[in-house]
Amino acid sequence: MSLLVLFYLTEYVGLSPAVAGLLIFISRLWDIFASLAVGQWSDRTQSRWGKRVPFLLVGAPLTALAYFILFAIPVGLSGLALNAYVLVALLLY
């Protein structure tokens, strides 16, 4: 995923490779800590569907939405607004 996003951000969106790489790096750092927190949360979850099913039912549509947001960048964004939009989309994903 990161390689595809890096290519997309540099070739189609027009970000410099350094900025695109930094944004992806920041999102991967976030993913490390978020995965640990959500993993512990899901381990402690007790529901009638089990530990993981509620997370899958909520996470799957949110992931699809975040994927759409990442690849549907509004026309006219540039500079800091574009970088912020991409970073938020990567963090959501």
Side-chain angles (χ1 to χ4, degrees):
M1 177 60 187
S2 295
L3 184 60
L4 171 68
V5 170
L6 181 62
F7 178 76
Y8 171 73
L9 293 176
T10 56
E11 297 297 320
Y12 293 99
V13 177
L15 294 179
S16 70
V19 170
L22 178 65
L23 295 176
I24 292 170
F25 177 72
I26 291 169
S27 71
R28 296 301 101 197
L29 283 178
W30 165 256
D31 188 42
I32 290 169
F33 297 107
S35 294
L36 289 172
V38 172
Q40 289 177 350
W41 184 18
S42 70
D43 287 342
R44 294 184 184 118
T45 298
Q46 299 293 328
S47 75
R48 64 181 185 183
W49 301 294
K51 293 182 177 192
R52 308 290 190 263
V53 173
F55 290 89
L56 292 171
L57 292 175
V58 172
L62 289 178
T63 301
L65 179 63
Y67 196 75
F68 174 77
I69 289 170
L70 180 60
F71 287 99
I73 296 175
V75 177
L77 283 182
S78 63
L80 188 57
L82 177 61
N83 294 343
Y85 180 90
V86 170
L87 181 59
V88 168
L90 285 169
L91 292 175
L92 286 174
Y93 179 74

Coordinates of all heavy atoms in Angstrom, one line a residue:
M1 N 0.8 -1.2 0.0 CA 0.0 0.0 0.0 C 0.9 1.3 0.0 O 0.6 2.2 -0.7 CB -0.9 0.0 1.2 CG -1.8 1.2 1.4 SD -2.9 1.4 0.0 CE -3.5 2.9 0.4
S2 N 1.9 1.3 0.8 CA 2.7 2.5 0.9 C 3.4 2.8 -0.4 O 3.6 4.0 -0.7 CB 3.7 2.3 2.0 OG 3.1 2.3 3.3
L3 N 3.9 1.8 -1.1 CA 4.5 2.0 -2.4 C 3.5 2.6 -3.4 O 3.9 3.5 -4.1 CB 5.1 0.7 -2.9 CG 5.9 0.8 -4.2 CD1 7.1 1.8 -4.0 CD2 6.4 -0.5 -4.6
L4 N 2.3 2.1 -3.4 CA 1.3 2.6 -4.4 C 1.0 4.0 -4.0 O 0.9 4.9 -4.9 CB 0.0 1.7 -4.3 CG -1.2 2.3 -5.0 CD1 -1.0 2.2 -6.5 CD2 -2.4 1.5 -4.7
V5 N 0.8 4.3 -2.7 CA 0.5 5.7 -2.3 C 1.6 6.6 -2.6 O 1.4 7.8 -3.1 CB 0.1 5.7 -0.8 CG1 0.0 7.1 -0.3 CG2 -1.2 5.0 -0.6
L6 N 2.9 6.2 -2.4 CA 4.0 7.0 -2.7 C 4.0 7.4 -4.2 O 4.2 8.5 -4.6 CB 5.3 6.3 -2.3 CG 6.6 7.1 -2.5 CD1 6.6 8.4 -1.7 CD2 7.8 6.2 -2.2
F7 N 3.8 6.4 -5.0 CA 3.8 6.7 -6.5 C 2.6 7.6 -6.8 O 2.8 8.6 -7.6 CB 3.6 5.3 -7.3 CG 3.5 5.5 -8.7 CD1 4.7 5.8 -9.5 CD2 2.3 5.4 -9.4 CE1 4.6 6.0 -10.9 CE2 2.2 5.6 -10.7 CZ 3.4 5.9 -11.5
Y8 N 1.5 7.4 -6.3 CA 0.3 8.2 -6.5 C 0.6 9.7 -6.1 O 0.3 10.6 -6.8 CB -0.9 7.6 -5.8 CG -2.1 8.5 -5.8 CD1 -2.8 8.7 -7.0 CD2 -2.5 9.2 -4.7 CE1 -3.9 9.6 -7.0 CE2 -3.6 10.0 -4.7 CZ -4.3 10.2 -5.9 OH -5.4 11.1 -5.9
L9 N 1.1 9.8 -4.9 CA 1.3 11.2 -4.4 C 2.4 11.9 -5.2 O 2.3 13.2 -5.3 CB 1.7 11.1 -2.9 CG 0.6 10.6 -1.9 CD1 1.2 10.5 -0.5 CD2 -0.6 11.5 -2.0
T10 N 3.4 11.3 -5.7 CA 4.4 12.0 -6.4 C 4.1 12.2 -7.8 O 4.3 13.3 -8.4 CB 5.8 11.2 -6.3 OG1 5.6 9.9 -6.8 CG2 6.3 11.2 -4.9
E11 N 3.5 11.2 -8.5 CA 3.2 11.3 -9.9 C 1.9 12.0 -10.3 O 1.8 12.7 -11.3 CB 3.3 9.9 -10.6 CG 4.6 9.2 -10.5 CD 5.7 10.0 -11.2 OE1 5.4 10.5 -12.3 OE2 6.8 10.1 -10.6
Y12 N 0.9 11.8 -9.5 CA -0.4 12.3 -9.9 C -0.8 13.5 -9.0 O -1.5 14.5 -9.5 CB -1.5 11.2 -9.7 CG -1.3 10.2 -10.8 CD1 -0.7 8.9 -10.5 CD2 -1.8 10.4 -12.1 CE1 -0.5 8.0 -11.4 CE2 -1.6 9.4 -13.1 CZ -1.0 8.2 -12.7 OH -0.8 7.2 -13.7
V13 N -0.5 13.5 -7.8 CA -0.9 14.6 -6.9 C 0.2 15.8 -7.0 O -0.2 16.9 -6.9 CB -1.0 14.2 -5.4 CG1 -1.3 15.3 -4.5 CG2 -2.1 13.1 -5.3
G14 N 1.4 15.4 -7.2 CA 2.4 16.4 -7.5 C 3.2 16.8 -6.2 O 3.9 17.8 -6.2
L15 N 3.2 16.0 -5.2 CA 4.0 16.2 -4.0 C 5.4 15.8 -4.3 O 5.7 14.9 -5.1 CB 3.5 15.4 -2.8 CG 2.1 15.8 -2.2 CD1 1.8 14.9 -1.1 CD2 2.1 17.2 -1.8
S16 N 6.4 16.5 -3.6 CA 7.8 16.1 -3.8 C 8.0 14.7 -3.1 O 7.2 14.4 -2.2 CB 8.7 17.1 -3.2 OG 8.6 17.1 -1.8
P17 N 8.9 13.9 -3.6 CA 9.1 12.6 -3.0 C 9.5 12.7 -1.5 O 9.0 11.8 -0.7 CB 10.3 12.0 -3.8 CG 10.2 12.7 -5.1 CD 9.7 14.1 -4.8
A18 N 10.2 13.7 -1.1 CA 10.5 13.9 0.3 C 9.3 14.1 1.2 O 9.1 13.5 2.3 CB 11.5 15.0 0.5
V19 N 8.4 15.0 0.7 CA 7.2 15.3 1.5 C 6.3 14.1 1.5 O 5.7 13.7 2.6 CB 6.5 16.5 0.9 CG1 5.1 16.7 1.5 CG2 7.3 17.8 1.1
A20 N 6.1 13.4 0.4 CA 5.2 12.3 0.3 C 5.8 11.2 1.2 O 5.0 10.5 2.0 CB 5.1 11.8 -1.1
G21 N 7.1 10.9 1.2 CA 7.7 9.9 2.1 C 7.5 10.3 3.6 O 7.3 9.4 4.4
L22 N 7.7 11.6 3.9 CA 7.5 12.0 5.3 C 6.1 11.8 5.8 O 5.9 11.3 6.9 CB 7.9 13.5 5.4 CG 7.8 14.1 6.8 CD1 8.7 13.4 7.8 CD2 8.0 15.6 6.8
L23 N 5.1 12.1 4.9 CA 3.7 12.0 5.3 C 3.4 10.5 5.5 O 2.7 10.1 6.5 CB 2.8 12.6 4.2 CG 2.9 14.1 4.1 CD1 2.0 14.6 3.0 CD2 2.5 14.8 5.4
I24 N 3.9 9.6 4.6 CA 3.7 8.2 4.8 C 4.4 7.7 6.0 O 3.8 6.9 6.8 CB 4.1 7.4 3.5 CG1 3.2 7.8 2.4 CG2 4.2 5.9 3.8 CD1 3.7 7.3 1.0
F25 N 5.6 8.2 6.3 CA 6.3 7.8 7.5 C 5.6 8.2 8.8 O 5.4 7.3 9.7 CB 7.7 8.4 7.5 CG 8.5 8.1 8.7 CD1 9.1 6.9 8.9 CD2 8.8 9.1 9.7 CE1 9.8 6.6 10.1 CE2 9.5 8.8 10.8 CZ 10.0 7.6 11.0
I26 N 5.0 9.4 8.8 CA 4.3 9.8 10.0 C 3.0 8.9 10.2 O 2.7 8.5 11.3 CB 3.9 11.3 9.8 CG1 5.1 12.2 9.9 CG2 2.8 11.7 10.9 CD1 4.8 13.6 9.5
S27 N 2.4 8.6 9.1 CA 1.2 7.7 9.2 C 1.5 6.3 9.6 O 0.8 5.7 10.4 CB 0.4 7.7 7.9 OG 1.1 6.9 6.9
R28 N 2.7 5.8 9.2 CA 3.1 4.5 9.7 C 3.5 4.5 11.2 O 3.3 3.5 11.9 CB 4.3 4.0 8.9 CG 4.0 3.7 7.4 CD 2.9 2.7 7.2 NE 1.7 3.4 6.9 CZ 0.5 3.0 6.9 NH1 0.2 1.7 7.3 NH2 -0.6 3.7 6.6
L29 N 4.1 5.6 11.7 CA 4.4 5.7 13.1 C 3.1 5.7 13.9 O 3.0 5.1 14.9 CB 5.2 7.0 13.4 CG 6.6 7.0 13.1 CD1 7.2 8.4 13.4 CD2 7.4 5.9 13.8
W30 N 2.1 6.5 13.4 CA 0.8 6.5 14.0 C 0.2 5.1 14.1 O -0.4 4.7 15.1 CB -0.2 7.5 13.3 CG -1.6 7.3 13.6 CD1 -2.5 6.7 12.9 CD2 -2.2 7.7 14.9 NE1 -3.8 6.7 13.5 CE2 -3.6 7.3 14.8 CE3 -1.8 8.4 16.0 CZ2 -4.5 7.6 15.8 CZ3 -2.7 8.6 17.0 CH2 -4.1 8.2 16.9
D31 N 0.4 4.4 13.0 CA -0.2 3.0 12.9 C 0.4 2.1 13.9 O -0.3 1.2 14.5 CB 0.1 2.5 11.5 CG -0.6 1.2 11.2 OD1 -1.8 1.0 11.6 OD2 0.0 0.2 10.7
I32 N 1.7 2.3 14.3 CA 2.3 1.4 15.3 C 1.6 1.6 16.6 O 1.2 0.6 17.2 CB 3.8 1.8 15.4 CG1 4.6 1.4 14.2 CG2 4.4 1.2 16.7 CD1 6.0 2.0 14.2
F33 N 1.4 2.8 17.0 CA 0.8 3.1 18.3 C -0.7 2.8 18.3 O -1.3 2.3 19.3 CB 1.1 4.5 18.8 CG 2.6 4.7 19.0 CD1 3.3 5.5 18.1 CD2 3.2 4.1 20.0 CE1 4.6 5.7 18.3 CE2 4.6 4.3 20.2 CZ 5.3 5.1 19.3
A34 N -1.4 3.1 17.2 CA -2.8 2.9 17.1 C -3.1 1.4 17.1 O -4.1 0.9 17.7 CB -3.4 3.5 15.9
S35 N -2.3 0.6 16.4 CA -2.5 -0.9 16.4 C -2.3 -1.5 17.8 O -3.1 -2.4 18.1 CB -1.5 -1.5 15.4 OG -1.7 -1.1 14.1
L36 N -1.3 -1.0 18.5 CA -1.2 -1.5 19.9 C -2.4 -1.2 20.8 O -2.9 -2.1 21.5 CB 0.1 -1.0 20.5 CG 1.4 -1.5 20.0 CD1 2.6 -0.7 20.5 CD2 1.6 -2.9 20.2
A37 N -2.9 0.0 20.7 CA -4.0 0.4 21.5 C -5.3 -0.3 21.1 O -6.0 -0.8 22.0 CB -4.2 1.9 21.4
V38 N -5.5 -0.4 19.8 CA -6.7 -1.1 19.4 C -6.6 -2.6 19.6 O -7.6 -3.2 20.0 CB -7.0 -0.8 17.9 CG1 -8.2 -1.7 17.4 CG2 -7.4 0.7 17.7
G39 N -5.4 -3.2 19.5 CA -5.3 -4.6 19.8 C -5.6 -4.9 21.3 O -6.2 -5.9 21.6
Q40 N -5.1 -4.0 22.2 CA -5.4 -4.2 23.6 C -6.8 -4.0 23.9 O -7.4 -4.8 24.7 CB -4.5 -3.3 24.4 CG -3.1 -3.6 24.5 CD -2.2 -2.6 25.2 OE1 -2.7 -1.6 25.6 NE2 -1.0 -3.0 25.5
W41 N -7.4 -3.0 23.2 CA -8.9 -2.8 23.4 C -9.7 -4.0 22.9 O -10.6 -4.4 23.6 CB -9.2 -1.5 22.6 CG -10.6 -1.0 22.7 CD1 -11.5 -1.3 23.7 CD2 -11.3 -0.1 21.9 NE1 -12.7 -0.7 23.5 CE2 -12.6 0.1 22.3 CE3 -10.9 0.6 20.7 CZ2 -13.5 0.9 21.7 CZ3 -11.8 1.4 20.1 CH2 -13.0 1.6 20.6
S42 N -9.3 -4.5 21.8 CA -10.1 -5.7 21.3 C -9.9 -6.9 22.1 O -10.8 -7.7 22.2 CB -9.8 -5.9 19.8 OG -8.5 -6.5 19.7
D43 N -8.7 -7.1 22.7 CA -8.5 -8.2 23.6 C -9.4 -8.2 24.8 O -9.8 -9.2 25.4 CB -7.0 -8.3 24.0 CG -6.1 -8.7 22.9 OD1 -6.6 -9.3 21.9 OD2 -4.9 -8.5 23.0
R44 N -9.7 -7.0 25.3 CA -10.6 -6.8 26.5 C -12.1 -6.7 26.2 O -12.9 -6.7 27.1 CB -10.1 -5.5 27.2 CG -8.7 -5.6 27.7 CD -8.4 -4.4 28.5 NE -7.0 -4.4 29.0 CZ -6.1 -3.5 28.6 NH1 -6.4 -2.5 27.9 NH2 -4.9 -3.7 29.0
T45 N -12.4 -6.7 24.9 CA -13.8 -6.5 24.5 C -14.6 -7.8 24.7 O -14.1 -8.9 24.4 CB -13.9 -6.1 23.0 OG1 -13.3 -4.9 22.9 CG2 -15.3 -6.0 22.6
Q46 N -15.7 -7.7 25.3 CA -16.6 -8.8 25.5 C -18.0 -8.5 24.8 O -18.6 -7.5 25.2 CB -16.9 -9.1 27.0 CG -15.7 -9.5 27.8 CD -15.1 -10.8 27.4 OE1 -15.8 -11.7 27.0 NE2 -13.7 -10.9 27.4
S47 N -18.3 -9.2 23.8 CA -19.6 -9.0 23.1 C -20.2 -10.3 22.7 O -19.5 -11.3 22.7 CB -19.4 -8.1 21.9 OG -18.8 -8.8 20.8
R48 N -21.4 -10.3 22.3 CA -22.0 -11.6 21.9 C -21.5 -12.1 20.6 O -21.7 -13.2 20.3 CB -23.6 -11.4 21.9 CG -24.0 -10.4 20.8 CD -25.5 -10.3 20.9 NE -26.0 -9.5 19.7 CZ -27.2 -9.2 19.5 NH1 -28.2 -9.6 20.4 NH2 -27.6 -8.4 18.5
W49 N -20.8 -11.2 19.8 CA -20.2 -11.7 18.6 C -18.8 -12.1 18.7 O -18.2 -12.5 17.7 CB -20.4 -10.6 17.5 CG -21.8 -10.2 17.3 CD1 -22.7 -10.9 16.7 CD2 -22.4 -8.9 17.6 NE1 -23.9 -10.2 16.6 CE2 -23.7 -9.0 17.2 CE3 -21.9 -7.8 18.2 CZ2 -24.6 -7.9 17.3 CZ3 -22.8 -6.7 18.3 CH2 -24.1 -6.8 17.9
G50 N -18.2 -11.9 19.8 CA -16.8 -12.2 20.0 C -15.9 -11.0 20.2 O -16.5 -9.9 20.3
K51 N -14.7 -11.2 20.2 CA -13.8 -10.0 20.5 C -13.5 -9.2 19.3 O -13.4 -8.0 19.4 CB -12.4 -10.5 21.0 CG -12.5 -11.2 22.3 CD -11.1 -11.6 22.8 CE -11.2 -12.2 24.2 NZ -9.9 -12.4 24.8
R52 N -13.4 -9.8 18.1 CA -12.9 -9.0 16.9 C -14.1 -8.6 16.0 O -13.9 -7.6 15.3 CB -12.0 -9.8 16.1 CG -10.8 -10.4 16.9 CD -9.8 -9.4 17.3 NE -8.6 -10.0 17.9 CZ -8.4 -10.2 19.2 NH1 -9.3 -9.9 20.1 NH2 -7.2 -10.7 19.6
V53 N -15.2 -9.2 16.0 CA -16.2 -8.9 15.0 C -16.7 -7.5 15.1 O -16.9 -6.8 14.1 CB -17.4 -9.9 15.1 CG1 -18.6 -9.6 14.2 CG2 -16.9 -11.3 14.8
P54 N -17.0 -6.9 16.3 CA -17.4 -5.5 16.3 C -16.4 -4.6 15.7 O -16.8 -3.6 15.0 CB -17.6 -5.2 17.8 CG -17.8 -6.5 18.4 CD -17.0 -7.5 17.6
F55 N -15.1 -4.8 15.8 CA -14.1 -4.0 15.2 C -14.0 -4.2 13.7 O -13.8 -3.2 13.0 CB -12.7 -4.3 15.9 CG -12.6 -3.9 17.3 CD1 -13.0 -4.8 18.3 CD2 -12.1 -2.6 17.6 CE1 -12.9 -4.4 19.6 CE2 -12.1 -2.2 18.9 CZ -12.4 -3.1 19.9
L56 N -14.3 -5.4 13.2 CA -14.3 -5.6 11.8 C -15.6 -4.9 11.2 O -15.5 -4.3 10.1 CB -14.3 -7.1 11.5 CG -13.0 -7.8 11.8 CD1 -13.2 -9.3 11.7 CD2 -11.9 -7.3 10.9
L57 N -16.7 -5.0 11.9 CA -17.9 -4.4 11.3 C -17.8 -2.8 11.2 O -18.4 -2.2 10.3 CB -19.1 -4.8 12.2 CG -19.5 -6.2 12.1 CD1 -20.6 -6.5 13.1 CD2 -19.9 -6.6 10.7
V58 N -17.1 -2.2 12.2 CA -16.9 -0.8 12.2 C -15.7 -0.4 11.3 O -15.8 0.6 10.5 CB -16.8 -0.2 13.6 CG1 -16.4 1.2 13.6 CG2 -18.0 -0.5 14.4
G59 N -14.7 -1.2 11.4 CA -13.4 -0.8 10.7 C -13.5 -1.0 9.2 O -12.9 -0.2 8.5
A60 N -14.2 -2.0 8.7 CA -14.2 -2.2 7.2 C -14.8 -1.0 6.5 O -14.2 -0.5 5.5 CB -15.0 -3.5 6.9
P61 N -16.0 -0.5 6.8 CA -16.6 0.6 6.1 C -15.7 1.9 6.3 O -15.5 2.7 5.4 CB -17.9 0.8 6.7 CG -18.3 -0.4 7.4 CD -17.0 -1.1 7.8
L62 N -15.1 2.1 7.5 CA -14.3 3.2 7.7 C -13.0 3.2 6.9 O -12.5 4.2 6.4 CB -13.9 3.4 9.2 CG -15.1 3.8 10.1 CD1 -14.6 3.9 11.6 CD2 -15.6 5.1 9.7
T63 N -12.5 2.0 6.7 CA -11.3 1.8 5.9 C -11.6 2.1 4.4 O -10.8 2.8 3.7 CB -10.7 0.4 6.0 OG1 -10.3 0.2 7.4 CG2 -9.5 0.2 5.2
A64 N -12.7 1.6 4.0 CA -13.2 1.9 2.6 C -13.4 3.4 2.4 O -12.9 4.0 1.4 CB -14.4 1.2 2.3
L65 N -14.0 4.1 3.3 CA -14.2 5.5 3.3 C -12.8 6.3 3.3 O -12.6 7.2 2.5 CB -15.0 6.0 4.4 CG -15.3 7.5 4.5 CD1 -16.1 8.0 3.2 CD2 -16.0 7.9 5.7
A66 N -11.9 5.9 4.1 CA -10.6 6.5 4.2 C -9.8 6.3 2.9 O -9.1 7.2 2.4 CB -9.8 6.0 5.4
Y67 N -9.9 5.1 2.3 CA -9.3 4.8 1.0 C -9.8 5.7 -0.1 O -9.1 6.3 -0.9 CB -9.5 3.3 0.7 CG -8.6 2.8 -0.4 CD1 -7.3 2.5 -0.1 CD2 -9.1 2.5 -1.6 CE1 -6.5 1.9 -1.0 CE2 -8.3 2.0 -2.6 CZ -7.0 1.7 -2.3 OH -6.1 1.2 -3.3
F68 N -11.1 5.9 -0.1 CA -11.8 6.8 -1.1 C -11.3 8.2 -0.9 O -10.9 8.9 -1.8 CB -13.3 6.7 -0.9 CG -14.0 7.7 -1.8 CD1 -14.1 7.5 -3.2 CD2 -14.5 8.9 -1.3 CE1 -14.7 8.5 -4.0 CE2 -15.1 9.8 -2.1 CZ -15.2 9.6 -3.4
I69 N -11.2 8.7 0.4 CA -10.8 10.1 0.7 C -9.4 10.3 0.2 O -9.0 11.3 -0.3 CB -11.0 10.3 2.2 CG1 -12.4 10.5 2.6 CG2 -10.2 11.6 2.6 CD1 -12.7 10.5 4.1
L70 N -8.5 9.3 0.4 CA -7.1 9.4 0.0 C -6.9 9.5 -1.5 O -6.1 10.3 -1.9 CB -6.4 8.1 0.5 CG -4.9 8.1 0.2 CD1 -4.1 9.3 0.9 CD2 -4.3 6.8 0.7
F71 N -7.7 8.8 -2.2 CA -7.6 8.9 -3.7 C -8.6 9.8 -4.4 O -8.6 9.9 -5.6 CB -7.7 7.5 -4.3 CG -6.5 6.6 -4.0 CD1 -6.5 5.7 -3.0 CD2 -5.4 6.8 -4.8 CE1 -5.4 4.9 -2.7 CE2 -4.2 6.0 -4.5 CZ -4.3 5.1 -3.5
A72 N -9.4 10.6 -3.6 CA -10.3 11.6 -4.2 C -9.9 12.9 -3.7 O -10.7 13.6 -3.0 CB -11.7 11.2 -3.9
I73 N -8.7 13.4 -3.9 CA -8.2 14.6 -3.4 C -9.0 15.8 -4.1 O -9.0 15.8 -5.4 CB -6.7 14.8 -3.6 CG1 -6.0 13.7 -2.7 CG2 -6.2 16.1 -3.2 CD1 -4.6 13.6 -2.9
P74 N -9.5 16.7 -3.4 CA -10.3 17.8 -4.1 C -9.4 18.6 -5.0 O -8.2 18.9 -4.7 CB -10.8 18.7 -2.9 CG -10.7 17.8 -1.7 CD -9.6 16.8 -2.0
V75 N -9.9 19.0 -6.1 CA -9.2 19.9 -7.0 C -9.0 21.3 -6.4 O -9.9 21.8 -5.8 CB -10.0 20.0 -8.4 CG1 -9.3 20.9 -9.3 CG2 -10.2 18.6 -9.0
G76 N -7.8 21.8 -6.6 CA -7.6 23.2 -6.2 C -6.8 23.2 -4.9 O -6.3 24.3 -4.5
L77 N -6.6 22.1 -4.2 CA -5.7 22.1 -3.0 C -4.3 22.2 -3.4 O -3.8 21.5 -4.4 CB -5.9 20.9 -2.2 CG -7.2 20.8 -1.3 CD1 -7.2 19.5 -0.5 CD2 -7.3 21.9 -0.4
S78 N -3.5 23.0 -2.7 CA -2.1 23.0 -2.9 C -1.4 23.5 -1.7 O -2.0 23.9 -0.7 CB -1.8 24.0 -4.1 OG -2.2 25.3 -3.7
G79 N -0.1 23.3 -1.6 CA 0.7 23.7 -0.5 C 0.4 23.0 0.8 O 0.2 21.8 0.8
L80 N 0.3 23.8 1.8 CA 0.1 23.2 3.2 C -1.3 22.6 3.3 O -1.4 21.6 4.0 CB 0.2 24.4 4.2 CG 0.2 23.9 5.7 CD1 1.3 22.9 6.0 CD2 0.4 25.1 6.6
A81 N -2.3 23.1 2.6 CA -3.6 22.5 2.7 C -3.6 21.1 2.1 O -4.2 20.2 2.6 CB -4.6 23.4 2.0
L82 N -2.9 20.9 1.0 CA -2.8 19.6 0.3 C -2.0 18.7 1.2 O -2.5 17.5 1.4 CB -2.1 19.8 -1.0 CG -1.9 18.5 -1.8 CD1 -3.2 17.8 -2.1 CD2 -1.1 18.8 -3.1
N83 N -0.9 19.1 1.8 CA -0.2 18.2 2.7 C -1.0 17.8 3.9 O -1.0 16.7 4.3 CB 1.1 19.0 3.2 CG 2.1 19.2 2.0 OD1 2.0 18.6 1.0 ND2 3.0 20.1 2.3
A84 N -1.8 18.8 4.5 CA -2.6 18.4 5.6 C -3.7 17.5 5.2 O -4.0 16.5 6.0 CB -3.2 19.7 6.2
Y85 N -4.3 17.7 4.1 CA -5.4 16.8 3.6 C -4.8 15.3 3.5 O -5.4 14.4 3.9 CB -6.0 17.3 2.3 CG -7.1 16.4 1.8 CD1 -8.4 16.6 2.1 CD2 -6.8 15.3 0.9 CE1 -9.4 15.8 1.6 CE2 -7.8 14.5 0.4 CZ -9.1 14.7 0.8 OH -10.1 13.9 0.3
V86 N -3.7 15.2 2.8 CA -3.1 13.9 2.6 C -2.7 13.3 3.9 O -3.0 12.1 4.1 CB -1.9 14.0 1.7 CG1 -1.1 12.7 1.6 CG2 -2.3 14.4 0.3
L87 N -2.1 14.0 4.8 CA -1.8 13.5 6.1 C -3.0 13.0 6.9 O -3.0 11.9 7.4 CB -1.0 14.5 7.0 CG -0.6 14.0 8.3 CD1 0.4 12.8 8.2 CD2 0.1 15.1 9.1
V88 N -4.1 13.7 6.9 CA -5.3 13.3 7.6 C -5.9 12.1 6.9 O -6.3 11.1 7.6 CB -6.3 14.4 7.6 CG1 -7.7 13.9 8.1 CG2 -5.8 15.6 8.5
A89 N -5.9 12.0 5.6 CA -6.4 10.8 4.9 C -5.5 9.6 5.2 O -6.1 8.5 5.4 CB -6.4 11.1 3.4
L90 N -4.2 9.8 5.3 CA -3.3 8.6 5.6 C -3.5 8.2 7.0 O -3.5 7.0 7.3 CB -1.9 9.0 5.4 CG -1.4 9.1 3.9 CD1 0.0 9.7 3.8 CD2 -1.4 7.7 3.3
L91 N -3.7 9.1 7.9 CA -3.9 8.8 9.3 C -5.3 8.0 9.5 O -5.4 7.1 10.3 CB -3.9 10.0 10.2 CG -2.5 10.7 10.4 CD1 -2.6 11.9 11.2 CD2 -1.5 9.7 11.0
L92 N -6.3 8.5 8.8 CA -7.6 7.8 8.8 C -7.5 6.4 8.3 O -8.0 5.4 8.8 CB -8.6 8.5 8.1 CG -9.2 9.8 8.7 CD1 -10.1 10.5 7.8 CD2 -9.9 9.5 10.0
Y93 N -6.7 6.2 7.2 CA -6.5 4.9 6.6 C -5.7 4.0 7.5 O -6.0 2.9 7.7 CB -5.9 5.0 5.2 CG -5.7 3.7 4.6 CD1 -6.8 3.0 4.0 CD2 -4.4 3.1 4.5 CE1 -6.6 1.8 3.5 CE2 -4.3 1.9 4.0 CZ -5.3 1.2 3.4 OH -5.2 -0.1 2.9

